[in-house]
Amino acid sequence: MNTNINSVKSGSIRPFDPHMAGYPRPVTDRLAYALRHFEYTLPPTDPRWRFLDEQPLASSSVRTARYLTKRAKDLWQKRIEASWRGPGLSNAPYLDAATSTQLLGLKARLMFNPGTLKLRVGGMLQSTVAPGVSRGQIRWLSNKSRSRILELTRELEAAEIYPQLMISLTYPRDWEAAISPEHAQAVWEFRRAWGRLNAWRYVPRGPGWGEGWQQRRAEVRAGLHRLRELGPDGKRVKAHLEAFRKRFERRYGTAWSLIWKLEFQRRGAPHIHLYLWNCGELDLAELRTWVSQAWVEIVAGCELNAYLDPQNRSLYDLYRESGGREFAEAMLGGMGLEVGIWNHLRAGTKVEAIRERHWGYLAKEVQGGMGKAYQHEVPRRYRNVGRWWGYWRYRRAGWTELVFDLASASMREVKEAIVKPVEAALKTLPRACRDFRERAKAMLTRFLKTGSFSAQKIDRDGVVTEGPYGYLTVWGHSAVQAAIGAL
DNA sequence: ATGTTGCTCGTTATCACGAA
DNA sequence: TTCGTGATAACGAGCAACAT
């Protein structure tokens, strides 16, 4: 079983790999992680290899595992000491730490804003983000971001703020050109190169024909490469949104507020939803016309009076009926109009009044439904997505935070200050939340008994461990009110 | 219109827990 | 055992509001 281990050239150091063939599996994933994470290495001449090799595979690994566990614990301990950089932190690999270390400075925090109540129990250890790690590409709407949107809607509901109006802004059929003119340019150049290459086939062969062919083929390849590089640019979308905001403010003032949210359609085109409130009574028909024209002009990037002229439009329809779309588009030039801009007229908008007094539409959109994953995934080649959502002209309510030092507080104090309010909050939950309520109650009982949220764990060595970290979040205005009342 | 500032949001790492 | 989900912190990028 150990041939591959022995075959390592002496002198080289082989990183530990728990999946290495013939190696007894470590007891837990956590241990495997520990060993891998610290790049636990053994030189091939290390006597411990023999020790490991001697273990029969079948009864693997009681001794081996015990040995490795001990080793891993030492490593965890080191890790914790290294990460000890100050208070207020959490999420260290505390489970393997010495008890005295992990419980020092343990705090319970009860925090609430108008819409959400959170109980957090945490210590002062922290795993920091590895140095040199920089942020990657935004690929999808993360769960954390989703939950933050919902947190905002609960906050708004608690303040009795509800959406009155939903506006959606959509891009036209050739949306890539609308967002990235340089992309349209690249498409045009690629097509031209392709045409030249094709045409060269029919040029009579003679001296130098081969070089000509090579040259044209290189052009096509370069064009293709450029095309791949030049995806639609998300920054333009945000710029369009900003332009829309300015126009809207000039037209309708600045009393309103809104949440905006980015989405993608299946064809890959971005799509923005605006949820407005505090916008007063607006004439919907008038607003629809205005929004539609404003958005089209922004996307097209110019005044559109000539394009919106009913005479021109009926002329186009006539051409289209008689000769098809391509013919009609060809005729646009004669009318002094550009095809690209004409097509931008199809940029779509939708304006809807929302009568329901809740944020259900946005919440549903954020959750996404069956087969709607594409809405929250960045399409291939799309660049600079930026943020998925944001809000304008609204000040967050802010959190109130009550912190208790569990080392110095008495059990009675903890019960009064933390457990009682949370229990009161739990009582407000509807019947459907029974399971959650029961689980939360069990957590609180355990918390009172042990000062910890996590369940007791007994590992293979019989070592009893307990995680001092835990969290509990209760949603809703009434829950928060109940908790405040019980304080 | 442009620059500056400060707040907010997305990614990174990790862990716990429950279900498959 | 393995996988998916939902938590945490810091940090830097992205955005909104303000100042000129």
Side-chain angles (χ1 to χ4, degrees):
Chain A
M1 74 184 209
N2 48 27
T3 48
N4 57 344
I5 292 172
N6 290 334
S7 67
V8 174
K9 281 183 210 138
S10 65
S12 71
I13 292 183
R14 186 192 183 107
F16 176 85
D17 175 8
H19 302 296
M20 195 187 290
Y23 195 83
R25 263 191 82 65
V27 253
T28 62
D29 279 4
R30 172 196 284 267
L31 183 55
Y33 167 75
L35 294 168
R36 215 170 356 172
H37 183 77
F38 293 102
E39 294 186 340
Y40 183 59
T41 54
L42 284 182
T45 51
D46 192 299
R48 279 173 289 181
W49 277 125
R50 191 153 44 81
F51 170 73
L52 296 176
D53 293 346
E54 276 164 10
Q55 305 303 314
L57 191 57
S59 61
S60 113
S61 15
V62 183
R63 277 174 69 205
T64 315
R66 199 168 288 166
Y67 164 75
L68 290 174
T69 309
K70 189 171 168 302
R71 180 84 183 111
K73 276 183 181 169
D74 294 347
L75 291 167
W76 283 123
Q77 184 62 44
K78 269 190 202 150
R79 173 83 195 271
I80 283 168
E81 279 162 11
S83 68
W84 193 298
R85 290 187 194 157
L89 311 168
S90 84
N91 212 18
Y94 51 83
L95 271 180
D96 294 308
T99 337
S100 60
T101 306
Q102 59 179 295
L103 290 179
L104 264 179
L106 195 58
K107 297 221 173 23
R109 281 182 298 155
L110 191 65
M111 47 197 292
F112 48 87
N113 74 3
T116 309
L117 171 78
K118 291 180 180 178
L119 170 53
R120 296 287 181 274
V121 180
M124 61 195 314
L125 300 174
Q126 188 206 352
S127 67
T128 56
V129 173
V133 171
S134 66
R135 166 182 185 163
Q137 291 292 308
I138 298 174
R139 281 161 298 182
W140 53 71
L141 176 65
S142 70
N143 284 334
K144 185 158 187 176
S145 181
R146 282 170 212 252
S147 75
R148 270 196 306 244
I149 303 176
L150 297 181
E151 204 172 277
L152 173 60
T153 62
R154 292 196 297 274
E155 187 181 312
L156 292 171
E157 275 183 17
E160 303 209 6
I161 294 173
Y162 304 99
Q164 296 170 7
L165 212 58
M166 194 188 101
I167 302 180
S168 28
L169 307 174
T170 316
Y171 280 92
R173 195 182 58 227
D174 59 340
W175 61 277
E176 290 194 322
I179 296 174
S180 295
E182 67 270 22
H183 175 83
Q185 177 76 15
V187 169
W188 188 79
E189 279 169 10
F190 172 74
R191 282 195 182 142
R192 197 178 55 166
W194 184 254
R196 277 160 59 100
L197 181 71
N198 255 339
W200 194 251
R201 286 173 201 279
Y202 306 104
V203 171
R205 310 216 172 184
W209 188 91
E211 287 90 79
W213 175 261
Q214 295 291 343
Q215 196 189 331
R216 278 155 183 79
R217 201 170 63 168
E219 274 173 18
V220 166
R221 282 192 175 156
L224 196 60
H225 186 70
R226 192 170 141 75
L227 212 50
R228 286 202 181 117
E229 297 280 301
L230 284 178
D233 189 352
K235 281 187 178 164
R236 270 226 176 71
V237 177
K238 299 292 169 67
H240 288 164
L241 182 58
E242 185 58 31
F244 184 81
R245 174 181 181 162
K246 286 194 177 130
R247 282 185 185 229
F248 202 83
E249 281 177 353
R250 281 200 296 270
R251 176 71 180 78
Y252 295 101
T254 53
W256 48 273
S257 307
L258 66 74
I259 296 181
W260 61 264
K261 183 165 170 304
L262 176 71
E263 245 173 46
F264 289 97
Q265 296 172 303
R266 202 183 277 289
R267 60 188 173 129
H271 183 210
I272 298 170
H273 283 174
L274 311 174
Y275 289 87
L276 285 86
W277 69 88
N278 205 13
C279 46
E281 287 297 314
L282 293 173
D283 177 358
L284 271 190
E286 192 270 327
L287 182 67
R288 278 197 185 103
T289 318
W290 185 89
V291 166
S292 163
Q293 182 164 352
W295 180 245
V296 161
E297 284 181 4
I298 288 165
V299 170
C302 63
E303 285 287 323
L304 290 172
N305 289 333
Y307 294 83
L308 295 169
D309 182 356
Q311 215 177 352
N312 281 341
R313 306 197 88 165
S314 54
L315 203 54
Y316 174 86
D317 288 342
L318 190 67
Y319 287 137
R320 178 158 184 177
E321 276 165 32
S322 54
R325 186 166 61 80
E326 289 190 2
F327 172 70
E329 284 182 355
M331 294 306 284
L332 282 171
M335 293 151 69
L337 305 175
E338 278 183 43
V339 182
I341 294 174
W342 182 266
N343 281 331
H344 287 159
L345 293 179
R346 290 158 204 268
T349 57
K350 205 166 71 178
V351 177
E352 279 175 282
I354 300 180
R355 309 223 169 278
E356 293 80 356
R357 283 166 65 79
H358 58 63
W359 283 88
Y361 292 111
L362 176 56
K364 201 171 170 189
E365 208 175 84
V366 167
Q367 296 297 354
M370 294 275 286
K372 294 256 177 138
Y374 62 87
Q375 287 183 343
H376 295 141
E377 284 169 7
V378 181
R380 278 161 59 88
R381 291 177 44 254
Y382 192 91
R383 299 171 293 162
N384 303 321
V385 205
R387 294 192 189 175
W388 287 90
W389 66 282
Y391 50 88
W392 295 345
R393 266 199 293 279
Y394 171 71
R395 249 180 219 294
R396 295 300 292 259
W399 291 87
T400 306
E401 199 173 327
L402 309 171
V403 184
F404 299 91
D405 189 338
L406 293 183
S408 58
S410 75
M411 252 322 131
R412 203 177 57 79
E413 282 170 334
V414 171
K415 192 168 182 183
E416 286 294 312
I418 294 172
V419 176
K420 257 178 67 182
V422 179
E423 275 176 347
L426 289 173
K427 278 205 187 103
T428 67
L429 293 176
R431 283 172 70 89
C433 300
R434 205 191 62 203
D435 279 3
F436 171 79
R437 205 165 50 213
E438 294 306 312
R439 246 186 20 238
K441 275 187 188 162
M443 279 173 84
L444 285 175
T445 312
R446 212 156 53 220
F447 173 60
L448 267 182
K449 255 166 59 184
T450 64
S452 147
F453 261 5
S454 305
Q456 211 177 50
K457 271 196 167 177
I458 304 178
D459 71 14
R460 292 216 186 151
D461 292 345
V463 177
V464 179
T465 51
E466 221 155 341
Y469 293 82
Y471 31 77
L472 190 58
T473 302
V474 189
W475 288 9
H477 184 48
S478 48
V480 175
Q481 287 299 308
I484 293 172
L487 270 172

